[in-house]
């Protein structure tokens, strides 16, 4: 007659599992890009293990008075869609896993699948 307590415990455990929020998923690997600092020198920016399905505005290219970043390298395990404007707006292009963009590919924000 211990079936009821066992069943109640199992239902309670299942309820806790369903109620707990899932872990945030992240693309694994590095996404890099080239930008120009305020003195005009070229620098390389990197996003390491970036969050998936969240728009990431590149802080070095977020303002209109600085040139956009370029030459993206997607060395993550997710595809990366890059956008010409902040907040994942404007023209976009998707880089496959391991994809490389040229200096002509301008970006200010990115989202990973």
């Amino acid at each position: 007659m211990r079936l009821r307590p066992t069943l109640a415990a199992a239902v309670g455990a299942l309820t806790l599992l369903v109620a707990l929020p899932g872990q945030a998923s992240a693309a694994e690997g590095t996404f890099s890009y080239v930008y120009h600092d305020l003195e005009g020198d070229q620098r390389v920016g990197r996003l390491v293990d970036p969050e998936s399905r969240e728009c990431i505005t590149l802080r070095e290219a977020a303002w209109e008075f600085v040139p956009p970043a370029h030459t993206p390298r997607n060395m993550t395990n997710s595809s990366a869609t890059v956008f010409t404007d902040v907040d994942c707006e404007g023209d976009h292009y998707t880089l496959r896993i391991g994809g490389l963009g040229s200096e002509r590919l301008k970006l200010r924000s990115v989202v990973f699948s």
Side-chain angles (χ1 to χ4, degrees):
M1 297 299 169
R2 297 196 149 221
L3 184 58
R4 282 188 187 178
T6 303
L7 183 59
V11 169
L14 182 61
T15 302
L16 279 176
L17 285 175
V18 172
L20 292 174
Q23 291 181 323
S25 63
E28 294 178 6
T30 303
F31 178 84
S32 64
Y33 51 92
V34 176
Y35 69 94
H36 292 89
D37 65 17
L38 294 177
E39 283 82 42
D41 296 325
Q42 263 192 179
R43 304 279 185 207
V44 176
R46 290 180 179 82
L47 301 173
V48 178
D49 299 336
E51 289 296 319
S52 296
R53 295 179 294 279
E54 280 187 25
C55 180
I56 301 170
T57 295
L58 307 177
R59 68 175 189 255
E60 301 91 351
W63 302 283
E64 290 185 19
F65 61 87
V66 296
H70 58 85
T71 319
R73 306 278 190 253
N74 182 23
M75 298 303 158
T76 70
N77 64 350
S78 298
S79 61
T81 302
V82 298
F83 295 82
T84 56
D85 294 328
V86 298
D87 300 324
C88 294
E89 295 185 4
D91 294 334
H92 63 278
Y93 181 81
T94 300
L95 292 168
R96 67 188 184 334
I97 296 170
L100 311 172
S102 73
E103 188 174 343
R104 295 185 347 219
L105 184 54
K106 309 296 185 190
L107 66 145
R108 292 187 188 271
S109 57
V110 60
V111 66
F112 296 88
S113 64

